[in-house]
Amino acid sequence: AAIFLDTRVPQLGRGGVAPPELELTIAVAASVAADLDRRGIGVGLYGNGSVGGRPLALDPSSAPGALTGVLELLARASPYGPRAFADLLLEESRRLARGTTGVVVVADLPPATLLALDELRRRHMAVTVVLVATDEAPTLPPAGLVEGCFVTRFHDDWAERDHLDLAL
């Protein structure tokens, strides 16, 4: 599975380098990676952020230590990088092995991202969206665009909670 992380949460433009919404989005991506690894599914990571000036990218692998690599990248991720998220989705998905599942972790779904998801659907790539909702009425993908969509809501006290709920 390839996790695609959009590090440009809407709140980033309002000041502050790492708003709590970004931290939660990264934590959700880490949780998804850990769950996939626990299930014996190889995992990789692609994001529109960067680590030390380099792209946030690690090809999917089931090798020992693959999860550690993903978690280390997430821990060091900066939200700033050279590519728009929709471009990243289209470019990196072309390089993936046939049958790789995409898990898209985002805080919002702007039109460009929805268009990229539609292109992935036309390429027959199975994609699940995990939306970290920061608005009362988040934009959800249209029916049939993705295999599944899970939503978790941002709460100011998210870091103190024992668990976060995902809703279909």
Side-chain angles (χ1 to χ4, degrees):
I3 298 170
F4 294 95
L5 172 65
D6 187 356
T7 59
R8 295 198 181 121
V9 298
Q11 294 75 11
L12 196 58
R14 297 183 195 148
V17 173
E21 294 86 355
L22 173 60
E23 293 178 26
L24 175 58
T25 304
I26 291 171
V28 167
S31 295
V32 167
D35 184 63
L36 291 170
D37 182 75
R38 181 183 57 77
R39 295 171 189 240
I41 298 170
V43 65
L45 173 71
Y46 302 96
N48 55 340
S50 62
V51 173
R54 301 185 72 177
L56 186 61
L58 186 64
D59 292 333
S61 173
S62 57
L67 175 62
T68 301
V70 167
L71 296 178
E72 286 176 357
L73 280 178
L74 288 169
R76 298 174 46 222
S78 162
Y80 305 104
R83 293 191 283 184
F85 186 66
D87 294 339
L88 169 98
L89 272 173
L90 294 174
E91 292 167 14
E92 295 298 342
S93 65
R94 283 186 186 103
R95 299 183 326 103
L96 296 172
R98 187 172 182 89
T100 301
T101 296
V103 180
V104 175
V105 180
V106 295
D108 69 342
L109 288 166
T113 300
L114 291 172
L115 287 172
L117 291 172
D118 186 50
E119 177 61 27
L120 296 182
R121 181 186 54 80
R122 281 188 266 153
R123 291 186 202 160
H124 305 287
M125 182 177 188
V127 176
T128 296
V129 169
V130 180
L131 178 63
V132 179
T134 58
D135 295 329
E136 287 300 315
T139 300
L140 299 175
L145 184 63
V146 295
E147 299 297 314
C149 179
F150 296 91
V151 179
T152 188
R153 296 219 170 261
F154 173 80
H155 298 279
D156 289 333
D157 66 345
W158 72 268
E160 287 91 40
R161 293 178 179 224
D162 289 334
H163 70 280
L164 298 171
D165 295 320
L166 285 177
L168 289 172

